[in-house]
């Protein structure tokens, strides 16, 4: 316990502050007894070194030393108090509605207690169930620092997103990895190290959104398929767009540009469900929001960038009619401002304009229902909302009216999310559809290369054995029995260190487990997690699980055996084997029971998981290439499909193998089921794979 040590330090400091002045006052009296007289000054000048003057000098020096000590302690105490006050300022205060509800609930509780105390005997105490510890970060602890899930949205470093928009961002991030899995070309010979360009982790803001939703996911989908933006119902409309007045809207205030970026991101996500409804923006407005308008129209196909307000109006007037009869039959959604059709009209984001002619043309667009105009500035023809930096809105023309909270993003956060959206919607004519655009995406972090040089010895202990399984459900076993890990952050630490056998620094762990949060705000949480994990394992089996050397943490290879390390060893052996290569690759296949950390949705896990998956897919392809029996080779390729059912190359190989064996019905059924699987995930079939599978499956039909 730390409090006895802290009490001793406090007592020691008090003794240093109180003891010296008490001794000096008792021995020589008060330090201030008046100024020296003229005779005393002349005597000191004539004979400065006397017993009395030396005593006075020593006394003055002692008082100066004490003053320096007191000053130092005072500065430290004031710094602590200032930090405490700053932390208290970040605590979210209850809204007036919450305060009212809490007061009514408290009054009701005390009222019921007062009325029933004299008529009913006291009830026996109810048993209390203590829940296991968890590392979920509360908004009260890290408000506005990033990656925090509250009841109605997610706070990231640089903005706030409504819950439905955040879920669409997470789904779009998952779709990025499905696209990468679909496009990967398996290798017939495995490399010692993997340096694939498309294993770059996603931008920090997307990772922060994923991390915030990881402990509170939406209803689970089919295994292996994370919902994509195209998966929900086609009528999905984000709240940030549904609340926009059909008559147009102006945005002012310190959060106006941040809200404009939020509408830009939200509108592009909504375009996943309404691909015929574009988002139109002028180049000037786009430059005001992001600082640059170059190449965005090419990388974001559902974003129409026009040169002026006149061109924006013209593009909407030229838009084909969706059918008035169909629109009239659709349900209407009532908002505070007006009635908006459930089928959304295009959103038009333009800069502020004071010219009467252009204002009238924009008003005509909104009146005709051809689009909802959002002006970055005052809007004379409709309501103007003032937006604060947190996204809360109000209308100065309507005192007391509180508007909806809008999605707000700074330039960095918006650019991060636009990078993800651009990757999930590549232009059809782009030769590099599966690469991130340098004009949109900042330089991404590369996935750390997996260790290929170390041969970790099996764990050995004095009669005890530690085993860590991370392929499948993460489990730590002591002599074959699972050991409960109380903190979910500790489970992440174990899996992260298993994927990094050479260790990781504290900054690496913090960035991975708590993306988007300032490191100083979670450093203590990391140290607490590591210390508790080390003590928990030490108390359970007497073995040392973690090592800390050269400012890096790693799993102790002499005490713990890791299934992922055995898989890496099998990959190294197969890649360097000269004889019996088929047997070596099948050993890799046998060492892979399930996905890395199956069922977990940690943002940092995707690059590691895909690296391991590609090693195993390569093993299936290499073993099939070395297999002389075509039926056995087909079984190996089908096993690769079970590892990754989204990979187009594997599907084409199996279709070709089935056609070569004469089973054309099975080849056609596999092609059809693969097409449906991709469509359900919001993907289309790769053109090369489509041509290859379509040609082979058509043979014999």
């Amino acid at each position: 316990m730390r409090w006895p040590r802290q009490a001793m330090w406090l007592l020691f400091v008090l003794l240093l502050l109180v003891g010296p002045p008490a001794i000096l006052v008792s021995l020589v009296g008060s330090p201030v007894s008046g100024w020296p007289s003229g005779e005393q000054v002349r005597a000191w000048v004539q004979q400065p070194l006397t017993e009395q003057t030396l005593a006075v000098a020593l006394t003055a020096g002692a008082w100066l030393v004490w003053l320096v000590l007191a000053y130092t302690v005072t500065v430290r105490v004031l710094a602590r108090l200032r930090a405490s006050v700053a932390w208290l300022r970040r605590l979210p205060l209850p809204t007036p509605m919450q305060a009212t509800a809490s007061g009514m609930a408290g009054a009701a509780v005390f009222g019921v207690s007062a009325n029933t105390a004299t008529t009913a005997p006291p009830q026996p105490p109810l048993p209390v169930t203590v829940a296991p510890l968890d590392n979920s970060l509360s908004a009260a602890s890290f408000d506005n620092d990033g990656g925090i899930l509250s009841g109605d949205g997610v706070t990231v470093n640089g903005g706030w997103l409504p819950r439905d928009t955040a879920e669409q961002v997470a789904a779009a991030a998952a779709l990025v990895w499905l696209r990468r899995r679909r496009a990967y070309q398996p290798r017939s010979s495995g490399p010692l190290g993997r340096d694939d360009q498309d294993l770059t982790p996603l931008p920090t803001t997307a990772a922060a959104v994923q991390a915030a939703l990881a402990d509170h996911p939406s209803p689970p989908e089919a295994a292996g398929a994370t919902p994509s933006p195209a998966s929900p119902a086609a009528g999905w409309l984000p709240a940030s767009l549904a609340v926009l007045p059909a008559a147009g809207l102006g945005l002012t205030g310190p959060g106006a540009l941040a809200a404009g970026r939020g509408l830009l991101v939200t509108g592009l996500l909504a375009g996943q469900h309404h691909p015929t409804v574009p988002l139109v923006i002028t180049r000037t407005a786009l430059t005001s929001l992001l600082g640059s308008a170059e190449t965005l129209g090419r990388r974001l196909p559902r974003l129409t960038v026009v040169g002026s307000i006149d061109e924006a109006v013209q593009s909407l007037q030229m838009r084909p009619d969706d059918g008035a009869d169909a629109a009239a039959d659709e349900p209407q959604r009532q908002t505070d401002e007006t009635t908006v059709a459930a089928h959304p009209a295009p959103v038009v984001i333009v800069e502020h304009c004071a010219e009467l002619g252009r204002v009238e043309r924009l008003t005509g667009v909104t009146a005709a229902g051809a689009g909802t105009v959002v002006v970055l500035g005052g809007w004379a023809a409709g309501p103007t909302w003032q937006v604060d930096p947190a996204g809360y809105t109000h209308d100065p023309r309507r005192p007391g009216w509180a508007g909806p909270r809008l999605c707000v993003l700074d330039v960095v956060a918006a650019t991060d999310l636009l990078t993800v959206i651009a990757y999930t919607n590549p232009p059809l004519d782009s030769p590099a559809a599966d690469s991130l655009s340098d004009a949109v995406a900042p330089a991404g972090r590369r996935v750390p290369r997996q260790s290929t040089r170390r041969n970790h010895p099996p764990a050995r202990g004095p009669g005890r054995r530690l085993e860590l399984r991370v392929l499948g459900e993460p489990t730590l076993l002591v002599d074959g029995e699972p050991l409960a890990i109380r903190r979910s952050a500790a489970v992440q630490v174990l899996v992260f260190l298993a994927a990094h056998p050479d260790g990781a620094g504290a900054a690496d762990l913090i960035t991975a487990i708590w993306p988007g949060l300032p490191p100083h705000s979670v450093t203590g949480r990391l140290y607490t997690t590591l210390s508790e994990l080390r003590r928990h394992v030490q108390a359970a089996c007497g073995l040392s699980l973690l090592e800390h050397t050269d400012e890096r943490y790693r799993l102790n290879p002499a005490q713990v055996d890791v299934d992922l390390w055995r898989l890496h060893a099998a990959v190294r052996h197969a890649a360097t084997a000269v004889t019996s290569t088929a047997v070596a690759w099948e050993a890799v296949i046998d060492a892979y029971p399930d996905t890395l950390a199956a069922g977990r949705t940690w943002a940092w896990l995707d690059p590691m998981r895909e690296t391991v998956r590609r090693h195993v897919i390569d093993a299936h392809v290499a073993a099939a290439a070395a297999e002389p029996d075509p039926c056995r080779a087909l079984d190996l390729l089908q096993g690769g499909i079970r590892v990754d059912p989204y990979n187009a190359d594997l599907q084409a190989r199996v279709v070709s193998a089935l056609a070569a064996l004469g089973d054309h019905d099975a080849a056609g059924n596999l092609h059809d089921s693969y097409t449906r699987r991709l469509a359900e995930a919001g993907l289309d079939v790769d053109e090369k794979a489509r041509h290859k599978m379509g040609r082979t499956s058509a043979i014999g039909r």
Side-chain angles (χ1 to χ4, degrees):
M1 298 178 66
R2 295 188 302 172
W3 69 266
R5 184 183 303 174
Q6 293 175 349
M8 291 297 297
W9 275 109
L10 179 61
L11 180 61
F12 179 72
V13 171
L14 290 177
L15 288 176
L16 284 179
L17 292 177
V18 178
I23 295 174
L24 290 173
V25 170
S26 63
L27 293 178
V28 298
S30 174
V32 181
S33 58
W35 294 98
S37 62
E39 294 182 0
Q40 291 175 334
V41 173
R42 286 192 296 270
W44 176 78
V45 172
Q46 294 175 358
Q47 192 176 2
L49 296 178
T50 62
E51 181 178 354
Q52 183 178 5
T53 56
L54 289 176
V56 171
L58 290 176
T59 303
W63 279 110
L64 287 176
V65 171
W66 178 83
L67 287 174
V68 171
L69 176 62
Y71 172 79
T72 303
V73 173
T74 303
V75 169
R76 294 295 300 273
V77 171
L78 290 177
R80 289 290 185 89
L81 290 176
R82 189 179 298 110
S84 300
V85 171
W87 176 78
L88 290 174
R89 288 176 180 174
R90 293 196 298 265
L91 288 176
L93 297 177
T95 63
M97 184 63 69
Q98 292 173 335
T100 303
S102 300
M104 294 175 63
V109 170
F110 285 113
V112 171
S113 300
N115 292 333
T116 59
T118 58
T119 58
Q123 298 294 327
L126 296 176
V128 178
T129 303
V130 180
L133 292 176
D134 191 83
N135 78 314
S136 57
L137 304 178
S138 65
S141 300
F142 301 103
D143 187 48
N144 294 329
D145 281 337
I148 304 302
L149 175 66
S150 60
D152 57 349
V154 173
T155 300
V156 297
N157 188 17
W160 178 87
L161 298 88
R163 174 65 183 260
D164 58 346
T165 303
E167 289 178 349
Q168 291 301 308
V169 169
L175 187 61
V176 170
W177 287 103
L178 288 182
R179 286 182 56 84
R180 292 175 173 179
R181 290 169 60 180
R182 183 199 63 179
Y184 174 65
Q185 300 289 322
R187 307 167 184 175
S188 58
S189 59
L192 289 178
R194 190 171 291 281
D195 193 24
D196 299 347
Q197 296 293 328
D198 62 343
L199 289 179
T200 304
L202 298 184
T204 303
T205 305
V209 172
Q210 288 179 291
L213 298 175
D215 293 332
H216 305 276
S218 299
E221 299 289 330
T226 306
S228 71
S231 297
W236 177 83
L237 187 66
S240 297
L241 297 183
V243 299
L244 296 181
L249 173 67
L251 297 177
T252 60
L257 293 181
R261 300 183 196 101
L263 289 175
L264 177 64
V265 171
T266 306
L268 291 174
L269 288 173
Q272 305 283 348
H273 309 277
H274 306 281
T276 61
V277 180
L279 190 149
V280 182
I281 187 171
T282 62
R283 184 170 287 105
T284 303
L286 187 58
T287 303
S288 300
L289 295 179
L290 299 178
S292 173
E294 299 297 330
T295 73
L296 279 176
R298 178 175 60 84
R299 289 301 303 159
L300 298 167
R302 293 189 177 93
L303 177 66
T304 302
V305 182
V306 295
S308 64
I309 294 178
D310 294 334
E311 292 183 20
V313 175
Q314 184 179 2
S315 67
L316 293 175
Q317 292 174 345
M318 296 175 58
R319 179 171 172 260
D321 190 8
D322 292 330
D325 295 337
D329 294 337
E330 290 184 355
Q332 302 291 308
R333 180 177 293 122
Q334 185 74 29
T335 67
D336 185 70
E337 296 289 337
T338 184
T339 301
V340 179
H343 184 75
V347 176
V348 187
I349 302 178
V350 299
E351 67 274 13
H352 175 67
C353 177
E355 296 182 15
L356 182 60
R358 292 184 176 180
V359 172
E360 291 178 349
R361 296 191 67 184
L362 289 174
T363 305
V365 169
T366 58
T372 300
V373 176
V374 176
V375 182
L376 301 179
W379 175 234
T384 297
W385 292 352
Q386 285 192 353
V387 189
D388 67 8
Y392 293 103
T393 61
H394 71 277
D395 190 346
R397 304 174 186 175
R398 302 169 59 183
W401 179 82
R405 188 179 185 184
L406 300 179
C407 176
V408 285
L409 300 168
D410 65 7
V411 175
V412 175
T415 304
D416 284 353
L417 299 184
L418 289 175
T419 300
V420 176
I421 297 173
Y423 191 85
T424 57
N425 297 275
L428 297 178
D429 57 348
S430 173
D434 287 333
S435 62
L436 294 176
S437 170
D438 294 335
V440 179
R445 294 175 288 115
R446 301 295 300 277
V447 58
R449 181 175 297 182
Q450 302 299 310
S451 175
T452 58
R453 296 170 295 182
R454 302 183 59 165
N455 291 318
H456 297 285
R460 300 183 183 277
R464 310 304 300 271
R465 183 170 60 89
L466 269 177
E467 181 182 1
L468 177 61
R469 297 176 184 173
V470 295
L471 297 175
E473 174 66 21
T475 307
L476 181 63
L477 301 116
V478 177
D479 296 334
E481 296 295 328
L483 179 64
I485 305 298
R486 296 193 297 170
R487 291 178 178 264
S488 61
V491 179
Q492 289 200 58
V493 167
L494 290 176
V495 179
F496 191 88
L497 294 181
H500 297 77
D502 292 330
D508 299 326
L509 291 168
I510 290 174
T511 302
I513 299 175
W514 297 285
L517 292 174
H520 66 82
S521 66
V522 288
T523 300
R525 179 176 289 270
L526 173 65
Y527 293 155
T528 300
T529 300
L530 293 172
S531 299
E532 182 177 315
L533 178 61
R534 184 186 292 110
R535 290 195 303 267
H536 184 53
V537 175
Q538 183 75 26
C541 60
L543 299 179
S544 176
L545 175 66
L546 299 176
E547 290 183 342
H548 186 212
T549 56
D550 298 329
E551 301 299 326
R552 296 178 68 83
Y553 296 93
R554 69 167 186 158
L555 297 175
N556 187 349
Q559 301 289 338
V560 60
D561 185 25
V562 184
D563 56 354
L564 182 60
W565 296 353
R566 294 195 299 267
L567 175 64
H568 286 164
V571 171
R572 291 193 296 269
H573 173 70
T576 56
V578 179
T579 60
S580 303
T581 55
V583 176
W585 286 119
E586 291 194 19
V588 175
I589 297 172
D590 295 338
Y592 182 78
D594 202 351
T595 305
L596 176 63
R600 306 306 173 108
T601 57
W602 306 320
W604 61 267
L605 188 59
D606 288 316
M608 313 296 174
R609 180 180 285 164
E610 183 61 19
T611 299
V612 175
R613 183 185 285 115
R614 291 183 179 184
H615 282 316
V616 181
I617 292 175
D618 291 346
H620 281 275
V621 173
E627 178 58 55
D629 183 3
C631 293
R632 173 59 181 160
L634 175 62
D635 291 339
L636 291 169
L637 292 176
Q638 289 175 329
I641 288 181
R642 286 189 290 272
V643 173
D644 190 355
Y646 292 94
N647 186 263
D649 187 84
L650 279 175
Q651 297 284 339
R653 289 174 185 265
V654 173
V655 168
S656 299
L658 289 171
L661 292 174
D663 196 347
H664 302 290
D665 291 337
N669 293 334
L670 179 62
H671 174 271
D672 295 340
S673 63
Y674 178 60
T675 304
R676 288 193 301 270
R677 180 181 298 111
L678 292 183
E680 292 172 356
L683 296 170
D684 54 358
V685 181
D686 182 79
E687 289 300 323
K688 294 181 180 179
R690 183 195 301 273
H691 177 72
K692 184 176 181 180
M693 288 190 294
R695 181 181 57 188
T696 55
S697 61
I699 298 176
R701 284 193 173 186

